[in-house]
Amino acid sequence: MNTFCPSAEHAPAVSVAPAYRIGVDVGGTFTDVVLAAADGSALHTAKVPSDAARPAAAVVRAVTGILDRHQVAPEQVEYFAHGQTFALNTVLQRSGARTGLLVTAGFPDLLEIGRLRLRDPIDFFADPRRPLADRRDVREIPERMRIDGSVDRPLDEAALLAAARDLLADGVEALAVVFLHAHAHPGHEQRAVALLRQAHPGLIVAGSAELWPEEKEYERATVAVLAAHVAGLLRGYLGDLSHRLREQGLSCPLHITKSNGGVMSVQGALAAGEGSAALLRAAVETLLSGPAAGVAGAVRLATTAGVDDLVTMDMGGTSVDSAIVEGGHIPYSTDAELGDFPLITPSVEVSSIGAGGGSVAWLDASGVLKVGPRSAGAHPGPACYGQGGAEPTLTDAYVVCGYLDPDTFAGGTVRLDPSAARAAFAPLARRLGTDVEGAAEAVVDVATAMMHAQLVPLLARRGVDPAGCRLVPYGGAGPVQAVALARALGIRHLLVPWSPGTLCAFGALVTDLRHDLVAPVGQTTGHLDDERLRTVWKDLEERAQLWYRDQSAVLHDRVALTRWADVQLAGQSFTLPVTLPEDGQPTVAALSEAFTARYRAAYGVDASGRELDVRSLRITLTARSQPLTPRTGSGTEVRPRPHTVTEHGHRVSAGRVERADLAPGVRLKGPLVVSAPDATVFLPTGACVEADAMGNLLIDAGQARGKAD
């Protein structure tokens, strides 16, 4: 059959509406949204107050608001991705489902004993560990598999079902099943999960081996309990969000960011049904999605600007989260902590310190000035917000020192009260024997020292020279504090993203699909052969490909698979992650060679010829998103307005400008306050700034006044 195709000369003109993409970050105080044209020609941001009771409502309000404001039809949106703190807050507040734990008989104290690690071993008054599953909700099940796979005691199915009925009758709302050695021999655990789901349709039942089959029974149990605790609420949230967005006309694929710095399909988690492995994995894998999206966004912007080695600085109201990035690769950890709980599923490696903009300044019993970790929060907030706060905070210190412009803060939507900030600092200044400006500047210096003390050991442990890195500050307060921290670390150059206050939302927008899988091995190289390696990795690859096919991956079509393993010297207790070259064969010899190089780099010791212990094999699937490069620079050469700041105990003349007025290539010197609706940048004397074509600010920290140039 022939089809007539009109020539271009006679074809009617067709107007194609431009496509847009949306990224959202749901925070505790604000929900941020970024709307970007797919070709990068337009980029818009907005913030709306979050709704703790109905987080999906705030997301929809942010999305519809920005679409209406910029006259974009819902049908023009081709992609939606968001990060959230909903699951994290549920865990931290222990507000999820009451979870019962079913364990191998003889191990009822699994969660309470943990790893016998204390936060402070010499503190005799330390609070005991509080498991997420209460001891009264733990039941012992008669069964036991040996480590070699033989059955020591068959599963007592009647006892299992009776224990579940007892827990549910007592008010338990979800169950986690964790049997000994199930990571390697999951038969009993799989049977138990199947029986429970059959007996109680719709009940959340999390099997540890189904979620993350890795040795370390305490950590594996924690993953199962976390999943059971959060999954029901997460499903309700995702279902509500999907329904509300569809009602507004968005028909594009919906995604949610993961702790590992990737995204996954919302529909994939929902379609499998309540209590499914996909939903349970999503519950665990999205716990740290917000911070992970921020690092992903920082890396994407920095690498686009030609920067591969960077230190990220995400500073909000209560904390500073930092990551060290080498070679443009997002750092990952399989030994993270989530409040009181270990998290062994791969996550972006972020270090936190309690020194955000709302952190309260105080003197300890010895008269030493401290900042945080207690925060004034959003309500009443810093004293300068005029909401009843009376304690001096880091934000108040910025106001007293002149680092924030009261007239343009938050785009003029929040009026700062300098007199209230000064009043809050007056008692502290009297106790320190200085004036208000001196006390405020001391608080800023203490905050800088705290961040410096947190980052220096991390840099040293990674063997990273900060002088070769670029500092990338974001969050509402990061750009204010950034130059002071950069100077303390010996970092000369900074890159402030085009919209630092909404970078986590942008990170969700540009993040790749990513999926991690693990399989236990537990053999030394003397007993492990090439065929076993190939078989295990092939199985992991096939499962990763099945996951990818369930994703809405229209914009993520460049797929790559990475093989890696957890390896240690035989007889040792700590593994090193070893990555095999993508073009290499998965052989024992190749794995040994890669481990030897990794061990030498980590410890300076040659381990060649030593017997190795391969504990587990892993695979990571990544599917790169189609590139999105923002182009926002459009300002003009501007003359700064007069301003005054405090530096080294003196009031000095400074300037203040609007960030939108900075044209690419125009260089301005400090002291200078650069204001924008989402964040403020402060440049002390000796620093200078210019905007690039993408709207990022490139800062040369220079030297502090009084030091050699």
Side-chain angles (χ1 to χ4, degrees):
M1 177 180 177
N2 295 323
T3 303
F4 173 71
C5 191
S7 66
E9 181 180 356
H10 298 95
V14 177
S15 176
V16 179
Y20 285 84
R21 303 174 191 173
I22 291 177
V24 176
D25 178 59
V26 185
T29 305
F30 288 104
T31 294
D32 306 332
V33 59
V34 173
L35 174 68
D39 61 3
S41 60
L43 202 61
H44 310 289
T45 66
K47 287 176 174 283
V48 303
S50 294
D51 187 337
R54 299 176 302 162
V59 174
V60 174
R61 189 164 62 250
V63 169
T64 55
I66 201 168
L67 291 177
D68 291 344
R69 191 175 308 116
H70 299 285
Q71 298 182 328
V72 175
E75 297 78 16
Q76 293 176 255
V77 180
E78 65 177 9
Y79 181 76
F80 172 94
H82 82 299
Q84 46 80 34
T85 57
F86 170 79
L88 173 62
N89 291 336
T90 297
V91 171
L92 296 180
Q93 298 168 12
R94 300 171 182 259
S95 57
R98 179 180 164 189
T99 301
L101 176 62
L102 305 174
V103 299
T104 300
F107 295 86
D109 303 313
L110 175 61
L111 293 182
E112 290 178 290
I113 294 175
R115 288 292 171 198
L116 294 178
R117 293 173 182 162
L118 303 177
R119 290 190 182 90
D120 188 349
I122 63 173
D123 183 0
F124 296 112
F125 303 99
D127 293 331
R129 178 181 285 106
R130 287 203 321 141
L132 199 55
D134 193 89
R135 179 65 179 81
R136 66 191 172 99
D137 294 332
V138 179
R139 297 292 185 274
E140 301 177 63
I141 305 301
E143 73 81 34
R144 182 147 183 179
M145 299 282 288
R146 294 194 180 99
I147 189 59
D148 62 2
S150 61
V151 177
D152 180 77
R153 186 176 186 180
L155 172 65
D156 189 331
E157 297 181 358
L160 170 80
L161 295 174
R165 287 194 299 270
D166 178 51
L167 287 170
L168 295 174
D170 194 42
V172 163
E173 301 164 302
L175 296 175
V177 184
V178 184
F179 289 164
L180 197 65
H181 306 312
H183 67 287
H185 308 290
H188 281 183
E189 192 175 282
Q190 290 173 342
R191 175 62 176 165
V193 170
L195 286 171
L196 292 170
R197 289 175 178 169
Q198 181 180 4
H200 305 282
L203 178 69
I204 297 291
V205 181
S208 68
E210 181 181 53
L211 292 173
W212 197 252
E214 185 176 354
E215 60 186 2
K216 303 176 182 176
E217 65 280 4
Y218 167 57
E219 288 82 356
R220 181 162 48 86
T222 301
V223 168
V225 172
L226 285 170
H229 186 72
V230 172
L233 290 176
L234 181 67
R235 178 175 175 80
Y237 161 71
L238 293 179
D240 186 28
L241 176 66
S242 179
H243 176 72
R244 289 173 181 265
L245 290 176
R246 296 306 186 217
E247 278 191 331
Q248 297 300 321
L250 264 73
S251 58
C252 65
L254 308 178
H255 293 81
I256 184 171
T257 58
K258 303 168 68 175
S259 304
N260 65 5
V263 295
M264 65 176 291
S265 168
V266 169
Q267 290 92 331
L270 292 175
E274 186 172 1
S276 69
L279 175 64
L280 289 162
R281 279 192 59 124
V284 175
E285 292 177 343
T286 60
L287 288 172
L288 297 172
S289 69
V295 175
V299 171
R300 180 63 65 92
L301 279 181
T303 53
T304 302
V307 178
D308 293 329
D309 298 324
L310 56 140
V311 177
T312 69
M313 176 194 180
D314 180 4
M315 185 173 178
T318 58
S319 66
V320 180
D321 300 326
S322 293
I324 299 169
V325 178
E326 299 177 79
H329 300 296
I330 297 175
Y332 296 103
S333 170
T334 55
D335 189 24
E337 288 195 3
L338 184 69
D340 295 331
F341 315 112
L343 191 64
I344 57 174
T345 56
S347 58
V348 175
E349 188 173 13
V350 174
S351 177
S352 300
I353 181 173
S359 297
V360 175
W362 55 287
L363 298 180
D364 67 11
S366 300
V368 177
L369 181 61
K370 305 283 188 178
V371 178
R374 189 167 60 87
S375 173
H379 300 283
C384 61
Y385 284 7
Q387 298 178 152
E391 295 181 291
T393 68
L394 188 53
T395 297
D396 293 311
Y398 296 153
V399 173
V400 171
C401 291
Y403 303 163
L404 299 176
D405 183 355
D407 297 331
T408 59
F409 182 74
T413 59
V414 177
R415 295 289 299 179
L416 298 181
D417 185 350
S419 62
R422 295 178 64 86
F425 263 94
L428 185 64
R430 285 194 297 270
R431 294 187 62 186
L432 291 173
T434 184
D435 57 17
V436 169
E437 287 80 7
E441 198 170 21
V443 167
V444 175
D445 290 342
V446 168
T448 301
M450 292 171 62
M451 299 173 201
H452 177 267
Q454 180 84 0
L455 281 169
V456 166
L458 295 176
L459 290 161
R461 190 155 54 241
R462 296 278 292 273
V464 174
D465 180 5
C469 296
R470 189 78 60 100
L471 184 66
V472 181
Y474 52 97
V480 185
Q481 188 82 34
V483 175
L485 177 60
R487 285 177 171 176
L489 292 170
I491 296 177
R492 182 71 183 252
H493 300 286
L494 299 84
L495 186 151
V496 182
W498 56 271
S499 181
T502 60
L503 185 67
C504 290
F506 178 76
L509 184 63
V510 299
T511 294
D512 303 329
L513 281 173
R514 179 182 167 109
H515 191 54
D516 293 286
L517 292 168
V518 64
V521 176
Q523 285 186 307
T524 60
T525 48
H527 298 86
L528 185 63
D529 57 31
D530 295 347
E531 181 60 28
R532 175 79 191 282
L533 289 182
R534 282 194 290 267
T535 299
V536 174
W537 262 318
K538 182 180 179 182
D539 176 66
L540 291 175
E541 289 177 12
E542 291 175 350
R543 289 165 53 196
Q545 294 286 5
L546 284 173
W547 176 86
Y548 176 72
R549 285 197 286 272
D550 286 339
Q551 305 302 303
S552 303
V554 176
L555 300 181
H556 299 81
D557 53 1
R558 292 174 291 167
V559 179
L561 291 168
T562 302
R563 295 186 298 262
W564 52 300
D566 297 313
V567 187
Q568 63 194 28
L569 290 177
Q572 291 192 340
S573 301
F574 296 94
T575 62
L576 282 175
V578 177
T579 304
L580 260 66
E582 293 185 13
D583 56 350
Q585 291 297 316
T587 64
V588 174
L591 193 59
S592 299
E593 182 180 351
F595 175 82
T596 299
R598 181 77 173 84
Y599 198 86
R600 185 184 298 112
Y603 303 115
V605 175
D606 186 1
S608 57
R610 301 278 298 276
E611 186 174 29
L612 307 183
D613 186 359
V614 182
R615 303 310 306 166
S616 60
L617 301 183
R618 302 174 184 265
I619 199 161
T620 298
L621 180 147
T622 55
R624 296 296 304 273
S625 60
Q626 294 183 11
L628 176 66
T629 303
R631 299 190 297 271
T632 63
S634 61
T636 59
E637 187 168 356
V638 63
R639 184 183 300 276
R641 303 185 306 279
H643 190 57
T644 304
V645 299
T646 297
E647 287 190 322
H648 306 286
H650 303 283
R651 300 294 287 178
V652 298
S653 297
R656 53 178 176 165
V657 298
E658 296 290 328
R659 180 174 180 145
D661 293 336
L662 293 179
V666 175
R667 193 174 181 87
L668 297 177
K669 295 182 179 181
L672 182 71
V673 174
V674 183
S675 299
D678 63 309
T680 297
V681 182
F682 172 63
L683 275 77
T685 300
C688 54
V689 63
E690 65 178 280
D692 67 8
M694 292 183 292
N696 303 311
L697 297 185
L698 308 178
I699 297 176
D700 184 337
Q703 297 286 341
R705 192 177 66 180
K707 297 183 180 180
D709 193 5

